Amino acid sequence: MHSTAATVLAIFLVGVGIAHFVLRDYFRGLVPGWAPWSTVIVLGTGLVEIVLGVLVAWTETRAVGAWGAAALITGYLASHLDALWRVSPQHPSVLDRPVGVAARLVVNGVYIAWAVAVATTVG
C-alpha cells in the first residue's frame, strides 16, 4: 500500500508539474494578485513539482521528495487563504466562491497529509 501511495504521488507531482507549463494561464490565476512575477512562480513551482515527483519515485530519495512536496503544497496555502480573504458568492470563477475556496482548502490539506504519509512510511 505504501509503495502504491508513493508511486501515485510521484505520478501526480510530475503530472501537475507538467500541467504548470501546459496550463500556465490556469495556474497564474491561482497566484495571488499581490505576488510579483506570477509566470515565474508558476513555472518555478511546476519545475520543483517535477523534481520532487522524481525524488518520490525512487525509494532512496522518497522521504526527501515527499517532505519537499509537503512543504511546497503547504506554501500553496497562501493562494488559498488569499482567495478566502477575497471570497465572493458572485465571483465568476467557482474556485473563488465560498464552496470553491472551501474545496481548495480541504483538497490542499489532503495533499499535504498524503505527502506526509508517504514521507513517514518510507522503508
Side-chain angles (χ1 to χ4, degrees):
M1 174 63 177
H2 303 304
S3 178
T4 302
T7 300
V8 175
L9 178 62
I11 293 166
F12 172 78
L13 289 167
V14 170
V16 172
I18 291 169
H20 277 68
F21 292 87
V22 177
L23 303 171
R24 196 175 307 170
D25 289 339
Y26 167 76
F27 286 98
R28 261 197 312 247
L30 296 175
V31 176
W34 48 262
W37 310 301
S38 63
T39 299
V40 173
I41 290 171
V42 167
L43 298 179
T45 56
L47 181 61
V48 170
E49 284 186 4
I50 293 167
V51 169
L52 292 172
V54 170
L55 290 173
V56 170
W58 285 314
T59 306
E60 297 80 14
T61 56
R62 182 164 294 153
V64 170
W67 281 119
L72 179 66
I73 297 165
T74 298
Y76 292 158
L77 283 172
S79 169
H80 306 311
L81 293 173
D82 180 69
L84 182 62
W85 180 259
R86 298 176 296 103
V87 70
S88 167
Q90 291 80 30
H91 197 282
S93 170
V94 71
L95 291 176
D96 288 317
R97 295 180 194 155
V99 69
V101 172
R104 287 168 62 175
L105 288 165
V106 169
V107 169
N108 200 79
V110 170
Y111 291 157
I112 294 166
W114 181 14
V116 168
V118 168
T120 57
T121 57
V122 173

